[in-house]
Amino acid sequence: MKMKLQRSDKIFEYEVPLSGVTLLEALGYIKENIDSTLAFSSGCRSSVCGSCTVRVNGKEVLACAYKPKNDDLIQPLRNMPVLRDLAVDMDRALAFNKIAKAWGLPKEEALHVSGEDAKRNELQSDCILCSACFSACPVYAVNEDFIGPFALTRALRYVNDIRQKDIKPTIEAIQTNGIYDCTLCNECVPVCPQGVAPKQDIEILRNKSGIMGYFNPNILAGFDDGLNF
Amino acid sequence: MVDILIIGGGGAGLTAAIHAKKNGANVTLVSKTYPTRSQTCMAQGGINAAIGANDSIQSHISDTLKSAQGLADEELVGILCEQGIDAIKWLDRIGVPFSRDNGIAQRKMGGASFVRACYAKDYTGLKILHTLYDQCNAYDINMLSERFLIDLAVIDGKVYGAYLLNIKTSTVELLHAKSVVLATGGYAKVYGKHSTNHVGSTADGIAAALRAGAKISNMEFIQFHPTALKKSSILISESARGAGGYLVNSKAKRFTDELASRDKVSLAITNEMQKGEEIYLDVRHLSAKFINEHLPQEKKLADLYENIDLTKQLIPILPAAHYTMGGICVDKNCATNVQGLYAVGECANHMVHGANRLGGNSLLEIVVFGKIAGEAACAYTKKEMPACKADKHKDIPSQINTNPTVDFYKKRTELAEIFYTNVGVKRNEQGLLVALEYIQVLQDELKNMGVKNTKLAYNTELAEFLEFKNIVLVAKTVVLSALRRKESRGAHYREDMPNKDDNYSADTICYQENDEIKFL
Ligand SMILES: Cc1cc2nc3c(=O)[nH]c(=O)nc-3n(C[C@H](O)[C@H](O)[C@H](O)COP(=O)(O)OP(=O)(O)OC[C@H]3O[C@@H](n4cnc5c(N)ncnc54)[C@H](O)[C@@H]3O)c2cc1C
Ligand code: SF4
Ligand code: SF4
Ligand code: FES
C-alpha cells in the first residue's frame, strides 16, 4: 500500500507492506522500520484519548479508527502550529477551555440528579478533545481568538448541568470571540468522531444568552454598516 | 520555585493538584502527554464505592482483602473503601456525568459481592478525567505538557525538583519545588504489544524513583486481562462475558467458567494455549440487536483490529498485561522514603490491591489517594524549609548515542515477547532466568543503542528511547522479584510452585544501590 505523508512543506511517499491495519499502525510501521524521525501522536489506540487526529485527503479522522487506502494523503491538523510532521501543538487550542470558563461550579449542597437531568449534557461530555472540529473550523482564518467548537460545546456541557451553581460566568465568557463569531457553517459536525455537534451547541448557547439578556453584537454592527451606506 | 511539582496528568495527578491548590499551595503539573490523553481516559467499567442500598463499606473491604490474598494492608483498604464514598460524592458535585437510575448507576464487576461500580456509560474514566481537568482550569493550575520526567533532583535523600525534557525543543529544564508528587502511571507496557495499556505506561516515574533512592515493592504482581484482541491487545471488556459470551478453543469447545476471576480465566486460557489451541471469544449466539445495543464498542474494535464481524465470526483473543499492582513504596500519606517525594496512583503501591486488583478499585484509588497525596504534600511544604542549592545541570540529549549500532525498537519488541512468554500469566524458575539473562545482556548493549534522529524539534524517538531505558530497568526488578517469590499467589502464578506459601506473605521490596538492585 502506498501512502503520502505531508512532512513540513513536502509530500513524502512510503510503501507500507501491510493491509487491513489502522492508519496509526501504518504510521508506527513507518517510524519503526523506515524512518525513525517521523513524528505523530498516539495514546489509547482505541479512539478515546483524542491524540492521533490527522487529516486524510483533507478530512479530519482519528488515525486509530481509520483504515488507510492506497494513495491516501495524510496531513497534520489545521489551525494550530505543527510541531513536526503530523504532531501539532495543542497548547493554544486547549487554552480556550479556560477562556470559556468551561468547568464545574458546584453548589454547596449535593443534588439529586435524575436520568432525565443527566441526558441534558451526556452527549457534550462524550467529547474526547481530539480537535477535529477545531481543525475543520474556517473561522480561525479570520479570527485566531475564536473560542471555537470544542470549548463552546464544553461550555454548554456545564451550562446545561443542573448541578451548576451559577451559569453566568460561563455565559459571559463566551460572548466575545465566542458564540457570535461562529458562522454556523456546520464544518465541525461531520468530522466529530463522537457524534457531538458543536454547531448545534453554539445555537443553544445563543438562545440561552438571548434569554439572559445578552445581545448579538454582530447584528448591531450589521445595522450600523447598513446605515452607513 | 513552586511549592509542589506534580508529575503526571492522569486522574491521580489532577486530583492531587486540585487538593494541593485548594489547601493553598502553589502547584505546577507537568506531563508527557496532554492530561486528557492519559490512560485514565481508557477505563470503561467503573469506579467502586459502597453507595448501594444493600452494600456496605465492610463488604467492600472484605471483597478487596479477599482478592488481595494477604498482601494488602487492612488499614489502607479501610481508608480506600470508607473515603471512597466521599470521593464519589465529590466527583458528583464537580460535575462528573455519571449514568443515573435512581441515583448514580452502578454495575457488578468481577469479585464484588454487590453491584458497586459507578459508571458513566462506557466512558467512566474519560468523563472523570475531563471533569478533573476542567477543575484544574477552574483552580488556575499551571499545567505544562510535552514535559518528560528524566530524573528527580535529589541531594542527601531529599527532593528539590525534577529534570524535565521539553519534548518540543529537546532542552532539559530543571524545575525547583519543595515537594514532588509522582503520578506517572503503571508499567504494563514492559509487555509491549501484549498489553492493553496506553502507549505511555512505560514505568518512567518508577524508574526515576528507583534512581533517586526510593524503595519499590511487589513488582512481580501484574494483572493479565483474559480477553484482549489477539493482534493488537485492545481490551474487550468483561461485559462481553458478563452478557453471556463464551470462551472456546480451536475445537469450538468451552473449557472454563467464563465468569471466574481474571487471574483464573487468564490461567485457563494459557493452559489451553499451551496445548496448542487457539482461543476465541464467541458472542454469535447473542442476537445482533443485543450486540448493537450492549456491545457496540466491541463490535467496532473487532472490525477495526481483527477485520471480523463478531455477530458472525469468532473473536481471536489472548490474555494481555492490564494493570500493575507493584510500584513505589508509600506510607498512608503517600510519602516515599525520599524526603519531600510523594507518589500516587498506579505508579505507587498503596497496599490496597495486594496480589490482585479488583476491577473498579484503581479509579477509586486515584481519587482517594490523589486527595491524600495533594494534602500531605501541601502540609509538608508549609513546614519551614531551607533553600536548596541547585546547580547540577544534566544535559541528557548530548549524552545520547547518535550513531547507534543496535536498534532499540527491535529490542523493545524482543523484550516484550520474552516477557510475555517467560514472565507472563505462568512463570517458572527456568523461564525467569532466561528473561533475567536477556535483560542483563540488554543492559550491556544499551551503550550501543541510541537515537538516529538528531533534530531538536519534537524528537519523539528521543523520548521513546528514554522510555525504553526505563522499561529495561523496571523489567529487571519484575523478574528479580518474581524469582524471589517461590510460591503462587493471585496474579503471580509459578507452575513450579503452584501453591500459596505462608513464608511469602510479606511484600517483595527492592531499591537500587550502586547500579544494583537489592532486596530488603
Ligand atoms: C483499557 C483499560 C481499562 C481500564 N478500566 C478500568 C476500570 O473500569 N476501572 C478501574 O478502576 N480501573 C480501570 N483501569 C485502570 C485505570 O485506568 C488506571 O489504573 C488509572 O487510570 C491510572 O491512573 P494514573 O493517574 O495513576 O495514571 P495514568 O492515567 O496512566 O496517567 C499517567 C500520567 O503520567 C504522565 N507521565 C508518565 N510518564 C511521564 C514522564 N516520564 N514524564 C512526565 N509525565 C509522565 C502521563 O502523561 C499521564 O499524564 C483500566 C485500564 C485500562 C488500560
Ligand atoms: S459551525 Fe461554527 S464552530 Fe463549527 S466549524 Fe462552522 S464556524 Fe466553526
Ligand atoms: S467535539 Fe468532537 S471533534 Fe470536537 S474535540 Fe470534541 S470529540 Fe473532537
Ligand atoms: S490513539 Fe487515542 S484516539 Fe487514537
Side-chain angles (χ1 to χ4, degrees):
Chain A
M1 176 176 50
K2 207 169 72 191
M3 276 170 56
K4 291 185 281 186
L5 264 59
Q6 183 182 331
R7 304 184 63 183
S8 124
D9 40 19
K10 289 201 205 57
I11 308 280
F12 289 74
E13 278 193 12
Y14 297 93
E15 184 58 43
V16 180
L18 304 170
S19 65
V21 298
T22 63
L23 174 56
L24 187 61
E25 290 172 297
L27 294 172
Y29 178 88
I30 296 172
K31 186 174 178 66
E32 289 188 24
N33 299 283
I34 305 175
D35 184 352
S36 63
T37 65
L38 178 67
F40 57 90
S41 301
S42 72
C44 65
R45 306 173 297 137
S46 53
S47 315
V48 71
C49 76
S51 302
C52 65
T53 328
V54 292
R55 283 184 303 142
V56 177
N57 306 326
K59 184 180 178 267
E60 286 77 7
V61 298
L62 296 179
C64 68
Y66 176 80
K67 293 271 181 76
K69 295 175 198 62
N70 204 32
D71 255 358
D72 272 348
L73 170 65
I74 321 296
Q75 294 169 289
L77 295 183
R78 289 174 292 193
N79 297 333
M80 47 194 117
V82 173
L83 287 166
R84 174 195 229 26
D85 304 331
L86 303 172
V88 292
D89 190 335
M90 290 277 296
D91 280 345
R92 214 181 116 78
L94 288 174
F96 288 116
N97 289 321
K98 195 163 175 177
I99 292 169
K101 300 204 168 150
W103 53 61
L105 211 57
K107 293 184 169 140
E108 276 75 34
E109 298 295 307
L111 206 73
H112 177 78
V113 182
S114 69
E116 199 85 332
D117 297 330
K119 288 269 177 263
R120 287 159 49 106
N121 63 357
E122 189 182 272
L123 182 61
Q124 287 76 15
S125 64
D126 283 351
C127 168
I128 59 172
L129 285 181
C130 71
S131 271
C133 54
F134 192 95
S135 168
C137 177
V139 171
Y140 289 101
V142 290
N143 179 7
E144 60 174 22
D145 293 323
F146 177 43
I147 291 173
F150 66 66
L152 290 170
T153 280
R154 192 163 284 248
L156 181 64
R157 169 192 160 174
Y158 287 105
V159 163
N160 261 356
D161 196 317
I162 64 150
R163 292 166 291 185
Q164 200 73 346
K165 181 178 174 186
D166 185 2
I167 62 169
K168 204 155 172 243
T170 309
I171 292 286
E172 201 154 290
I174 55 171
Q175 300 301 309
T176 315
N177 292 317
I179 45 179
Y180 303 112
D181 289 65
C182 163
T183 63
L184 304 182
C185 72
N186 207 47
E187 292 290 334
C188 51
V189 178
V191 296
C192 178
Q194 291 291 87
V196 180
K199 177 207 164 210
Q200 268 93 304
D201 295 343
I202 291 167
E203 290 185 289
I204 297 171
L205 285 167
R206 283 188 184 183
N207 283 337
K208 290 208 183 265
S209 298
I211 293 166
M212 287 171 73
Y214 291 92
F215 293 102
N216 180 345
N218 298 332
I219 292 176
L220 292 176
F223 279 138
D224 282 349
D225 285 352
L227 293 175
N228 285 341
F229 255 109
Chain B
M1 157 119 94
V2 294
D3 291 337
I4 303 178
L5 170 62
I6 295 178
I7 305 175
L14 297 181
T15 308
I18 294 164
H19 289 285
K21 182 88 189 234
K22 241 185 188 171
N23 281 266
N26 170 352
V27 179
T28 289
L29 182 141
V30 297
S31 54
K32 67 177 175 182
T33 62
Y34 292 96
T36 56
R37 297 179 177 180
S38 306
Q39 169 167 289
T40 298
C41 72
M42 297 166 70
Q44 308 174 327
I47 171 169
N48 290 339
I51 56 170
N54 301 317
D55 201 356
S56 69
I57 292 172
Q58 199 45 52
S59 168
H60 188 183
I61 293 175
S62 65
D63 287 345
T64 305
L65 287 175
K66 183 166 165 229
S67 176
Q69 306 230 15
L71 280 184
D73 180 291
E74 286 190 29
E75 186 189 350
L76 283 155
V77 172
I79 292 174
L80 178 78
C81 300
E82 267 165 46
Q83 299 195 11
I85 294 181
D86 280 340
I88 298 296
K89 285 189 186 148
W90 179 66
L91 292 176
D92 189 17
R93 290 189 56 233
I94 62 172
V96 172
F98 286 112
S99 295
R100 311 272 166 174
D101 33 39
N102 274 327
I104 292 173
Q106 290 180 290
R107 57 183 159 215
K108 196 155 182 237
M109 302 251 271
S113 303
F114 291 94
V115 171
R116 186 177 289 145
C118 307
Y119 63 91
K121 299 202 292 185
D122 270 348
Y123 289 131
T124 314
L126 173 82
K127 298 205 176 190
I128 290 176
L129 185 67
H130 281 238
T131 308
L132 292 171
Y133 172 73
D134 295 338
Q135 280 299 296
C136 285
N137 274 336
Y139 278 98
D140 198 18
I141 286 161
N142 184 23
M143 292 185 268
L144 305 173
S145 300
E146 311 280 9
R147 300 300 196 286
F148 187 102
L149 164 70
I150 298 172
D151 260 318
L152 294 160
V154 174
I155 291 180
D156 298 334
K158 184 173 149 195
V159 76
Y160 62 85
Y163 294 95
L164 306 165
L165 174 75
N166 183 334
I167 305 174
K168 291 187 206 175
T169 55
S170 296
T171 48
V172 178
E173 302 162 349
L174 170 59
L175 231 156
H176 286 296
K178 293 181 186 166
S179 164
V180 175
V181 180
L182 286 171
T184 47
Y187 52 95
K189 271 288 166 181
V190 170
Y191 294 86
K193 74 175 269 262
H194 295 291
S195 169
T196 61
N197 278 208
H198 187 282
V199 297
S201 296
T202 50
D204 302 330
I206 300 174
L210 258 183
R211 291 190 291 264
K215 295 190 183 106
I216 64 174
S217 64
N218 292 355
M219 298 299 287
E220 67 275 34
F221 289 100
I222 290 142
Q223 180 173 82
F224 282 77
H225 198 288
T227 56
L229 290 178
K230 187 174 176 194
K231 283 192 213 144
S232 59
S233 293
I234 299 273
L235 181 77
I236 293 294
S237 81
E238 231 167 65
S239 52
R241 277 171 292 138
Y246 299 144
L247 287 170
V248 298
N249 61 19
S250 317
K251 304 179 188 80
K253 271 185 88 152
R254 289 173 70 186
F255 55 86
T256 188
D257 169 13
E258 284 86 356
L259 299 177
S261 62
R262 285 181 189 170
D263 52 335
K264 296 215 173 68
V265 180
S266 291
L267 193 58
I269 293 175
T270 309
N271 285 336
E272 211 53 23
M273 282 164 43
Q274 286 178 341
K275 292 184 215 153
E277 299 288 336
E278 300 277 331
I279 310 300
Y280 303 92
L281 180 63
D282 186 359
V283 295
R284 292 171 304 172
H285 54 289
L286 307 175
S287 74
K289 182 170 171 283
F290 181 88
I291 289 173
N292 287 333
E293 256 169 48
H294 296 278
L295 305 168
Q297 275 295 94
E298 285 71 16
K299 186 164 183 257
K300 187 174 112 188
L301 291 169
D303 175 38
L304 256 178
Y305 283 95
E306 299 284 342
N307 295 302
I308 60 154
D309 175 357
L310 54 70
T311 60
K312 300 193 183 76
Q313 287 162 292
L314 294 171
I315 315 164
I317 55 106
L318 273 183
H322 183 55
Y323 183 86
T324 48
M325 272 77 78
I328 304 162
C329 289
V330 289
D331 65 12
K332 64 178 173 189
N333 288 318
C334 306
T336 69
N337 58 302
V338 175
Q339 202 188 329
L341 180 66
Y342 293 77
V344 64
E346 196 171 336
C347 72
N349 180 358
H350 292 289
M351 308 305 303
V352 294
H353 307 307
N356 206 351
R357 171 195 72 123
L358 276 187
N361 267 359
S362 42
L363 283 179
L364 183 63
E365 163 187 77
I366 63 183
V367 182
V368 168
F369 290 106
K371 175 169 190 275
I372 293 174
E375 288 173 353
C378 184
Y380 172 80
T381 57
K382 283 185 180 154
K383 284 189 259 170
E384 197 63 47
M385 291 239 269
C388 61
K389 284 184 275 83
D391 37 11
K392 209 168 39 157
H393 183 74
K394 290 198 172 181
D395 190 7
I396 301 296
S398 73
Q399 290 166 16
I400 299 266
N401 180 353
T402 50
N403 285 308
T405 50
V406 179
D407 180 355
F408 81 86
Y409 286 115
K410 297 241 151 50
K411 293 290 164 187
R412 188 173 76 175
T413 311
E414 236 172 68
L415 174 65
E417 291 303 329
I418 287 186
F419 243 64
Y420 187 64
T421 317
N422 296 298
V423 201
V425 175
K426 273 174 125 179
R427 299 144 183 207
N428 61 51
E429 179 105 11
Q430 221 183 348
L432 291 170
L433 288 172
V434 169
L436 181 62
E437 200 184 308
Y438 177 82
I439 292 168
Q440 278 159 346
V441 173
L442 203 56
Q443 281 188 313
D444 285 339
E445 272 182 325
L446 272 175
K447 60 177 180 306
N448 301 326
M449 294 180 221
V451 176
K452 282 177 263 171
N453 182 2
T454 53
K455 307 223 170 72
L456 295 176
Y458 210 67
N459 188 337
T460 49
E461 189 186 356
L462 174 58
E464 285 175 26
F465 181 59
L466 295 174
E467 289 177 347
F468 177 67
K469 295 211 305 191
N470 291 331
I471 281 180
V472 174
L473 174 61
V474 168
K476 190 171 181 182
T477 68
V478 174
V479 180
L480 288 172
S481 305
L483 274 166
R484 289 178 78 89
R485 187 168 285 283
K486 298 184 190 305
E487 63 152 358
S488 291
R489 189 186 292 263
H492 174 71
Y493 183 79
R494 292 272 307 243
E495 49 191 339
D496 46 351
M497 291 140 191
N499 299 317
K500 193 151 116 182
D501 179 346
D502 286 341
N503 292 320
Y504 289 93
S505 47
D507 299 311
T508 319
I509 301 176
C510 64
Y511 59 98
Q512 186 174 261
E513 200 175 76
N514 304 326
D515 280 342
E516 251 183 77
I517 304 295
K518 298 193 169 157
F519 285 83
L520 282 195

